[in-house]
């Protein structure tokens, strides 16, 4: 499985795009815009399923992350909301924005306008009660401060590592080549995930990072895992969390190549 997927993946990214009349698979919402059905919360220091302070909520059609009920500030209550199913090969898309001020008693400047999409993650049932982050590949979402450059769709690796340009990378975070997005604007980030072969980050339709062989720190390749969103002390809105499941093509490399070429040739940008 690994060899054909990795060959197809690099052909998709490095090859020229071709037009195809084949109908593409459709986006399926993971967040329905109405409630948190099919999602489960895990906040550091609390039991699985306990949504302390109503951290994760739905208002105005958005999945909101808020801290207005946190007496004493954030106090390292790192949180994640997990989708009920795990996935192996897929294209995920989210549209997010940062709003308001960072809550008090926060981890510091690094957590300012900071959130993340955790991919190929561990099951929440296996997390320790005081565990900060699930072992996963984190697509780090960052917002600008109005002055300095600050890329988004970066890569962080809680309990994981990866291969980039034929080298094993153990550094915790690596910046992408994205633009900086200041203010409260909506941004669309997509990630192509092909099992343990390849992962590619896109921001508003532009590729900003790619790497291969996502793996645990012990070297075990990550072929599938959970998807979760973070709470790290800055209010965040998600209006879309959607996915195209590509697992049915894992044993059909030619079909997979055609489908993915079509999908990534359509540059989707977050509207206002």
């Amino acid at each position: 499985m690994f060899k054909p997927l990795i060959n197809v993946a690099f052909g998709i990214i490095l090859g020229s795009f071709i037009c195809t009349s084949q109908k593409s698979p459709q986006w399926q919402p993971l967040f329905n815009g109405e409630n948190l059905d099919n999602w489960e919360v895990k906040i550091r220091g609390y039991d699985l399923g306990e949504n302390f302070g109503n951290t994760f909520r739905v208002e105005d059609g958005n999945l909101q992350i808020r801290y207005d009920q946190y007496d004493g500030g954030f106090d390292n209550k790192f949180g994640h909301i997990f989708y009920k199913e795990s996935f192996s090969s897929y294209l995920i898309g989210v549209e997010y924005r940062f709003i308001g001020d960072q809550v008090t008693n926060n981890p510091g400047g690094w957590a300012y306008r900071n959130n993340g999409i955790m991919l190929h993650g561990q099951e929440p049932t296996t997390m320790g009660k005081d565990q900060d982050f699930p072992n996963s590949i984190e697509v780090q979402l960052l917002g600008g401060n109005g002055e300095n450059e600050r890329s988004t769709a970066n890569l962080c690796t809680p309990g994981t590592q990866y291969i980039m340009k034929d080298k094993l990378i153990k550094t915790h975070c690596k910046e992408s080549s994205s633009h900086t997005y200041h203010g409260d604007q909506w941004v669309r980030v997509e990630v192509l995930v092909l099992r343990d072969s390849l992962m590619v980050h896109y921001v508003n339709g532009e590729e900003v990072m790619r790497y291969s062989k996502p793996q645990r720190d012990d070297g075990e390749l990550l072929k599938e895992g959970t998807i979760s969103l973070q709470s790290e002390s800055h209010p965040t809105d998600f209006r879309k969390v959607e996915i195209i499941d590509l697992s049915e093509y894992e044993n059909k490399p030619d079909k997979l190549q055609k489908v993915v070429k079509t999908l990534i040739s359509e540059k989707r940008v977050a509207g206002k």
Side-chain angles (χ1 to χ4, degrees), residues 18-59:
I18 60 173
C19 294
T20 176
S21 59
Q22 184 177 11
K23 186 178 180 180
S24 298
Q26 300 301 302
W27 290 96
Q28 300 298 321
L30 299 184
F31 167 57
N32 62 21
E34 298 178 357
N35 52 52
L36 298 179
D37 288 357
N38 301 321
W39 293 84
E40 192 166 27
V41 174
K42 175 65 182 78
I43 294 176
R44 182 182 182 273
Y46 297 86
D47 292 332
L48 179 63
E50 185 173 352
N51 189 9
F52 170 80
N54 197 24
T55 302
F56 298 94
R57 63 186 77 166
V58 179
E59 291 186 13

Side-chain angles (χ1 to χ4, degrees), residues 16-220:
S16 59
F17 293 138
I18 60 173
C19 294
T20 176
S21 59
Q22 184 177 11
K23 186 178 180 180
S24 298
Q26 300 301 302
W27 290 96
Q28 300 298 321
L30 299 184
F31 167 57
N32 62 21
E34 298 178 357
N35 52 52
L36 298 179
D37 288 357
N38 301 321
W39 293 84
E40 192 166 27
V41 174
K42 175 65 182 78
I43 294 176
R44 182 182 182 273
Y46 297 86
D47 292 332
L48 179 63
E50 185 173 352
N51 189 9
F52 170 80
N54 197 24
T55 302
F56 298 94
R57 63 186 77 166
V58 179
E59 291 186 13
D60 301 323
N62 297 325
L63 195 167
Q64 297 184 343
I65 300 166
R66 298 291 189 269
Y67 309 98
D68 52 290
Q69 298 178 31
Y70 277 45
D71 292 335
F74 187 70
D75 194 27
N76 290 326
K77 294 184 182 70
F78 297 101
H80 297 80
I81 186 167
F82 290 79
Y83 190 67
K84 67 173 183 177
E85 297 178 15
S86 293
F87 296 89
S88 57
S89 296
Y90 54 92
L91 181 65
I92 187 170
V94 306
E95 294 186 11
Y96 70 94
R97 67 179 178 182
F98 296 103
I99 65 169
D101 297 322
Q102 188 178 14
V103 67
T104 60
N105 195 16
N106 57 67
W110 66 266
Y112 171 82
R113 290 183 174 255
N114 188 332
N115 203 293
I117 318 166
M118 320 300 279
L119 305 178
H120 274 354
Q122 71 180 106
E123 291 289 337
T125 54
T126 67
M127 290 182 65
K129 189 170 185 178
D130 293 324
Q131 186 174 339
D132 290 341
F133 312 102
N135 296 330
S136 57
I137 296 293
E138 178 187 350
V139 181
Q140 184 188 52
L141 308 177
L142 297 179
N145 61 9
E147 297 179 2
N148 306 111
E149 292 186 359
R150 197 173 189 232
S151 60
T152 191
N154 302 319
L155 170 60
C156 294
T157 53
T160 57
Q161 54 193 16
Y162 59 95
I163 300 293
M164 181 176 283
K165 297 181 179 178
D166 298 321
K167 293 183 179 180
L168 179 64
I169 307 299
K170 297 185 177 183
T171 305
H172 179 54
C173 289
K174 184 174 180 59
E175 293 183 353
S176 78
S177 61
S178 86
H179 299 296
T180 301
Y181 294 89
H182 298 291
D184 298 350
Q185 64 180 302
W186 290 101
V187 181
R188 183 175 180 90
V189 167
E190 295 180 2
V191 188
L192 175 66
V193 180
L194 298 180
R195 286 195 65 183
D196 54 358
S197 298
L198 189 70
M199 302 181 80
V200 187
H201 301 188
Y202 304 89
V203 180
N204 282 340
E206 300 294 333
E207 180 186 328
V208 298
M209 177 176 285
R210 62 182 171 194
Y211 48 98
S212 63
K213 298 184 181 178
Q215 56 193 267
R216 299 193 324 186
D217 283 344
D218 61 9
E220 180 179 344

